[in-house]
Amino acid sequence: MTTDLWEYRPGSHHAADLTLVGYDVEATDGPLGHVDQDAGDHLLVDTRPWVPGAPILVPVGLVARIDHLELVVHLDCPRARVRSAPPPAAIDRAGREPAVHGLSQEGRAALDAHYARVAAAGRGGRRPG
């Protein structure tokens, strides 16, 4: 995978001076949860009540667009693609304050490997257009 998984896409309407904490998160096939933490290179998403279990890390490269009026982050993938990612406890986070430091290189590599496997299996690919 390329580093674009860890950067917002052009046209996603990310405003660097706004935090996305509290925004709802929508996958292509329905609601996923809400943003608990905006760490710059990824979002920590609380998936309850849609997906039981731990919060999940969503790389910002999966953000298709952000609706600042409705407070919704729209992803370009189905819930299954994100839901199957390793839990945050399995990812090595750099420093004590992920919102400042983001993910370590090891954490990024773990998620890069996950999304590469998902893409190779043909599940959860990007929608055309």
Side-chain angles (χ1 to χ4, degrees), residues 83-106:
R83 199 172 38 215
S84 64
I91 303 296
D92 175 28
R93 290 199 246 177
R96 292 180 304 226
E97 201 55 48
V100 174
H101 299 287
L103 288 175
S104 67
Q105 290 300 321
E106 294 82 10

Side-chain angles (χ1 to χ4, degrees), residues 27-51:
T28 56
D29 57 351
L32 186 63
H34 67 272
V35 178
D36 266 353
Q37 185 178 69
D38 180 351
D41 61 353
H42 68 277
L43 304 172
L44 184 64
V45 178
D46 180 355
T47 60
R48 290 170 294 178
W50 295 279
V51 182

Side-chain angles (χ1 to χ4, degrees), residues 2-27:
T2 62
T3 58
D4 68 329
L5 191 60
W6 304 103
E7 297 173 3
Y8 284 97
R9 299 178 198 172
S12 67
H13 304 292
H14 171 65
D17 58 337
L18 292 177
T19 181
L20 300 178
V21 172
Y23 280 46
D24 289 330
V25 179
E26 292 272 338

